[in-house]
Amino acid sequence: MNPAASSTDDPVSDADRAHGALLGLALGDALGMPTQSMRRDAIRARFGRVDRLRDAADDQPIAPGMPAGSVTDDTEQALIVARLLLEGDGHVDPHAFADALIAWEADMIARGSRDLLGPSTKAALDRLQHGVPVEESGRSGTTNGAAMRVAPVGIAHRPGPALLEAVVEASQVTHRTSLGISGAAAIAAAVSAGVDGADADAALDAAVAAAQQGEHLGAWIAGASIPARFLAFRDGFRRAGSERREDLLAEVVGTSVQSQESVVAALLLIDAGRDDPFAALCTAASVGGDTDTVAAMAGTVLGAVHGPSAFPTDQVRLVRETNPFDLRSVSRRLLDLRH
């Protein structure tokens, strides 16, 4: 099946899908905000199963006291990528990106936030500041930082070789590794296919194909294959009930910051969320670990596939009221690059 094929009677426009991709990213991010870096049993004791946007507790390890609907680094860094794509006519200048990430962290520190740069990004920027060239700075980055912020690349570029080149360009500063690029390629390709009208199956086919290509790029790092792990878990995850799915994600697949765990978890939730995208994001927010990033990655693809109507209007409204950005305007400008 052609991942870019769309139904002639599909009422969802590419503009809706592009907007849905950024909205799903922000909603998933905000759903996982109060539970990020928490154990699954601690989440259950405090919230039960997450079923709506919630305030973060004062003892939240990353986002203490943040109000319901607040986004984290996933959305904020994706918007940095979007800005650089728009300034660069579809390209991300690596030096400008490094400067933007350093400035972003400084702003977060000034705001008193504990939500700072991830381990791969921090290490890469430290190397840059010590004179390591940008072509080498990201040669050990295997975590999900590139994948969590890559959605604007998928909106700005159609499926194909140019998309993969753009993924590498947006990843190279911090995650120029086989695992980092493979994970980012999976999310970007699924978003791009969704914007072109693909259903969930076709978007996931595009994700697998791009991830397989991506794992041959960048510095090779030992670690399980992202597309192979997804395909190995997919059938069993489909057959499992909701409680067993949470067990599988938390105990077998994994939801850590490592790409071969969190990106695979997001892809499985995209597969499971075709009929109820919001429920899939709530599952991501409930299982523990890197909840905000797993939910953000799943949300951006489900939003691209279904459009904004996939998500409850009251939850979408709260995200919009809580955060000072215009995702519709950004998505339209990115779509102009694509066209």
Side-chain angles (χ1 to χ4, degrees):
M1 181 175 186
N2 178 0
S6 60
S7 170
T8 56
D9 58 357
D10 185 357
V12 184
S13 67
D14 59 355
D16 287 333
R17 291 171 180 272
H19 180 212
L22 294 186
L23 193 60
L25 167 73
L27 178 59
D29 186 10
L31 278 167
M33 175 274 295
T35 60
Q36 60 183 314
S37 297
M38 291 176 64
R39 292 169 56 100
R40 184 183 177 197
D41 56 356
I43 294 170
R44 286 191 168 188
R46 176 156 291 170
F47 298 108
R49 186 178 187 278
V50 176
D51 61 358
R52 64 189 184 279
L53 295 165
R54 305 289 294 265
D55 295 325
D58 289 339
D59 62 352
Q60 214 293 325
I62 306 296
M66 288 183 70
S70 300
V71 300
T72 75
D73 58 334
D74 305 77
T75 305
E76 292 197 5
Q77 290 187 28
L79 291 174
I80 291 174
V81 172
R83 173 172 60 81
L84 293 174
L85 283 165
L86 293 168
E87 292 174 355
D89 196 25
H91 297 280
V92 173
D93 178 83
H95 298 284
F97 192 23
D99 290 344
L101 289 172
I102 292 168
W104 175 84
E105 184 176 54
D107 179 60
M108 295 297 280
I109 292 171
R111 285 188 261 166
S113 174
R114 299 177 194 167
D115 199 2
L116 306 178
L117 295 170
S120 294
T121 299
K122 184 67 172 177
L125 295 180
D126 284 344
R127 291 191 195 100
L128 280 174
Q129 290 173 318
H130 285 85
V132 175
V134 71
E135 293 78 14
E136 301 293 324
S137 59
R139 287 178 62 84
S140 63
T142 61
T143 53
N144 56 28
M148 77 178 190
R149 59 191 180 222
V150 81
V153 174
I155 298 172
H157 292 273
R158 293 187 182 279
L163 172 65
L164 193 58
E165 292 173 9
V167 169
V168 173
E169 194 174 66
S171 305
Q172 64 174 330
V173 174
T174 57
H175 294 79
R176 194 181 180 89
T177 65
S178 51
L179 287 169
I181 293 172
S182 180
I187 301 302
V191 168
S192 184
V195 171
D196 263 7
D199 61 13
D201 283 330
L204 288 168
D205 287 347
V208 168
Q212 289 169 337
Q213 293 177 285
E215 62 189 0
H216 297 289
L217 302 173
W220 179 80
I221 301 289
S225 163
I226 291 168
R229 291 191 86 229
F230 167 64
L231 294 172
F233 290 136
R234 186 178 192 175
D235 287 346
F237 198 77
R238 281 181 169 179
R239 292 193 298 268
S242 59
E243 184 70 19
R244 179 57 180 154
R245 284 176 177 172
E246 291 191 19
D247 291 341
L248 288 170
L249 289 172
E251 300 168 10
V252 181
V253 179
T255 56
S256 76
V257 297
Q258 289 301 319
S259 293
Q260 65 268 43
E261 291 193 3
S262 51
V263 174
V264 174
L267 295 176
L268 290 168
L269 285 167
I270 294 161
D271 191 56
R274 66 189 66 239
D275 295 324
D276 193 342
F278 186 69
L281 304 191
C282 290
T283 297
S286 301
V287 296
D290 199 5
T291 53
D292 58 327
T293 297
V294 174
M297 292 187 294
T300 194
V301 177
L302 288 166
V305 167
H306 295 283
S309 62
F311 307 119
T313 55
D314 62 327
Q315 301 295 282
V316 169
R317 184 183 308 113
L318 183 54
V319 170
R320 286 174 172 156
E321 291 172 350
T322 307
N323 301 282
F325 44 62
D326 184 352
L327 297 180
R328 186 182 294 278
S329 174
V330 174
S331 66
R332 284 175 175 166
R333 294 174 65 198
L334 291 170
L335 202 59
D336 287 341
L337 288 177
R338 182 188 190 91
H339 292 326

